[in-house]
Amino acid sequence: MYNPPMFQVITHASEVLTGAGIRAKDGRKVTDDDLGRILDGALVLSVKTVRGKVIPQRIEWVGPTSQLPKRFSKIRATNLKGKRAIIPGLVDCHTHLVFAGDRSEDFAERCAGVSYQEIARKGGGIARTVRATQLASEAELLKSAELRAREMFAFGVRTLEIKSGYGLTLEDELKILRVAAQLKRKLPEMHIHSTFLGAHDFPPGIDRACKESRKDSIRQIVDVMLPEVKRLGLADSCDVFVDDGYFTLREGQHILTRAKQLGFSLKLHADELSNTESTRLAVKMAALSADHLLQVSLSGIRALAKSRKTVAVLLPGTAFYLKADHAPARKLIQAGACVALATDFNPGSSMCASLPAIMTIAALYLQMTRAEIFAAVTYNGAKALGCEDRLGTLEVGNLASFAILPFPKFEELYYRFAWSAGR
Ligand code: NIG
Ligand code: FE
């Protein structure tokens, strides 16, 4: 009789970085000592076999290979021969993964000096992607999203947030969220968190200068979309793009209040293109995260530093791609905020699926240290999704989310700039 394996044993990793000290500090003001670096390390996981595929479940043991407990030493191990490092599975906590079409035309215009907002006013921008996404079938969207998720997996990402927001009608938003749900089933090796971003922009045909039209479309989100998304169990969180030319602070607050009542956790595209004090709103409403923060004020920074809940999610790929000034990462970290990094993968402002490339930008332009970067893409990213109690570090009892790197040192993940996952 076939006895499926119960444990997976990995030995002789060049190093295992557990990140245990990062959890102890809730991801704030971390230093090299918090990385929990174990040289010649081993990792033991409990496993389950799903459709013939061995899926790791929980972390059973972690430590130096020389101290591997006897009960695991009889199991045939995967020997990494000192050539590869093991880290907690990376968390990309802010992506717009599901969309159709591309924005290469917008990009060419931006390269010629036209601003992101100007392109949006002329009918490009988010609206261009919305048109393409509305026309696409669920199967087409699933196919492209799966390729993108697999690309991210190859870069070490094991936990992924996916926002809707390129549908904007009930049917099209549900279509995108169903794609995210299908991805969850297709990729059991990844943890997928889905976020409803129906308030990403106003749908086509809505006159955003007209108060009544705005009200109607917000009513549609609050009274129809949110309850339906909840009823179908299609999203964990709700996000709003509060910014100049998009949703106002009051509109954002209105939508998020209803979302909270319905039981969604909250996220916010905050202080990205202009300062709207939306970061403070995120903290006030105990959102999981305030994301972007290119224009965050000193009081926004202070609010984040005080919050035990709201993570500052920085997306330096977007500032790079929009040629904007970067978020004040050092100020946030020094003030005591919990700072995460993510790709913001989307066709307009960050067409980049590589979290390691974002880490490189963070090292060079946000002046983040290696421990801060590590924390930002592991524990802090998990906290921005509300799952830091089980993900983000390699500690016994946690979910078995880990990545074996194609390099002997963790630092090579981003010191080696824009490496190809297929190498
Ligand atoms: O996170 N800020 C809003 N949404 C995206 C951009 C979307 C787009 O340009 O398609 C962002 O930057
Ligand atoms: Fe975004």
Side-chain angles (χ1 to χ4, degrees):
M1 201 183 94
Y2 171 67
N3 278 328
M6 286 167 66
F7 297 105
Q8 183 181 358
V9 179
I10 309 168
T11 56
H12 299 294
S14 45
E15 58 181 21
V16 176
L17 272 66
T18 67
I22 293 167
R23 176 181 302 281
K25 287 184 174 173
D26 193 32
R28 297 158 205 264
K29 298 195 176 171
V30 296
T31 65
D32 276 359
D33 290 343
D34 302 316
L35 292 172
R37 205 186 282 262
I38 301 167
L39 298 180
D40 192 2
L43 183 67
V44 181
L45 315 151
S46 59
V47 299
K48 193 168 102 186
T49 307
V50 183
R51 291 182 297 247
K53 219 174 179 179
V54 176
I55 309 281
Q57 298 294 298
R58 300 228 166 233
I59 296 172
E60 291 287 328
W61 188 86
V62 60
T65 303
S66 60
Q67 291 171 24
L68 186 71
K70 274 232 169 66
R71 65 184 189 282
F72 300 124
S73 58
K74 296 227 166 58
I75 299 168
R76 181 128 67 96
T78 304
N79 183 339
L80 299 181
K81 300 183 178 156
K83 292 197 171 114
R84 305 176 71 178
I86 304 179
I87 59 169
L90 300 182
V91 181
D92 193 343
C93 65
H94 181 139
T95 86
H96 305 251
L97 195 83
V98 182
F99 61 85
D102 74 282
R103 298 258 285 282
S104 52
E105 295 305 316
D106 288 11
F107 183 67
E109 282 204 61
R110 286 204 298 107
C111 293
V114 187
S115 76
Y116 178 86
Q117 286 103 318
E118 183 53 29
I119 291 168
R121 275 192 289 274
K122 291 192 307 183
I126 294 175
R128 189 192 295 282
T129 305
V130 169
R131 288 192 292 275
T133 307
Q134 289 186 342
L135 287 173
S137 70
E138 203 165 311
E140 283 162 351
L141 290 172
L142 179 62
K143 200 168 161 194
S144 57
E146 185 180 343
L147 283 174
R148 292 168 192 151
R150 288 192 187 280
E151 187 182 353
M152 291 174 164
F153 185 89
F155 282 123
V157 172
R158 302 289 178 268
T159 301
L160 178 61
E161 188 245 20
I162 299 177
K163 297 179 197 294
S164 67
Y166 290 117
L168 304 187
T169 66
L170 175 65
E171 259 327 299
D172 292 303
E173 284 295 300
L174 292 180
K175 177 171 74 177
I176 294 172
L177 292 171
R178 280 196 302 268
V179 169
Q182 288 201 60
L183 271 185
K184 274 187 208 183
R185 287 191 288 274
K186 280 195 111 172
L187 302 173
E189 57 277 52
M190 287 182 103
H191 301 274
I192 294 178
H193 179 109
S194 50
T195 299
F196 171 66
L197 178 58
H200 193 195
D201 199 352
F202 290 91
I206 292 286
D207 175 7
R208 70 189 67 217
C210 165
K211 262 193 172 167
E212 275 315 306
S213 300
R214 292 180 81 94
K215 271 198 180 151
D216 283 348
S217 110
I218 288 161
R219 225 176 275 135
Q220 170 77 0
I221 292 172
V222 164
D223 294 343
V224 181
M225 294 197 200
L226 274 171
E228 188 61 2
V229 171
K230 188 74 206 173
R231 191 182 70 77
L232 296 169
L234 281 174
D236 307 294
S237 299
C238 174
D239 191 346
V240 179
F241 185 18
V242 170
D243 219 313
D244 191 22
Y246 296 87
F247 293 84
T248 66
L249 195 68
R250 281 183 70 159
E251 291 165 346
Q253 182 164 12
H254 180 58
I255 294 165
L256 293 176
T257 302
R258 180 74 184 123
K260 198 170 188 170
Q261 282 165 358
L262 287 167
F264 291 99
S265 53
L266 309 181
K267 301 177 84 65
L268 201 56
H269 275 69
D271 297 329
E272 178 185 2
L273 306 171
S274 59
N275 177 273
T276 56
E277 292 303 332
S278 37
T279 299
R280 275 166 48 198
L281 175 66
V283 173
K284 193 173 101 187
M285 297 197 71
L288 289 176
S289 66
D291 302 38
H292 282 290
L293 312 179
L294 303 185
Q295 307 289 338
V296 67
S297 66
L298 197 57
S299 58
I301 293 175
R302 285 202 190 110
L304 280 168
K306 262 204 212 139
S307 170
R308 292 297 99 188
K309 173 96 190 245
T310 309
V311 176
V313 175
L314 305 187
L315 308 158
T318 309
F320 167 77
Y321 209 62
L322 294 179
K323 296 207 279 184
D325 289 339
H326 283 280
R330 288 255 52 87
K331 284 188 185 153
L332 283 158
I333 291 169
Q334 273 153 15
C338 179
V339 172
L341 287 166
T343 58
D344 192 22
F345 179 69
N346 78 77
S349 68
S350 184
M351 189 61 173
C352 172
S354 167
L355 193 55
I358 302 303
M359 294 157 74
T360 309
I361 301 175
L364 289 169
Y365 295 98
L366 300 185
Q367 282 102 38
M368 287 173 68
T369 67
R370 87 179 96 191
E372 289 160 1
I373 290 174
F374 180 90
V377 293
T378 56
Y379 175 88
N380 296 6
K383 186 172 163 93
L385 299 178
C387 54
E388 77 280 15
D389 60 337
R390 52 200 184 275
L391 286 167
T393 58
L394 295 178
E395 292 174 282
V396 172
N398 269 10
L399 292 180
S401 176
F402 66 100
I404 300 176
L405 301 184
F407 314 115
K409 283 168 78 178
F410 149 70
E411 286 83 348
E412 256 190 275
L413 197 53
Y414 65 97
Y415 146 67
R416 193 186 273 263
F417 180 45
W419 51 279
S420 153
R423 74 190 206 102

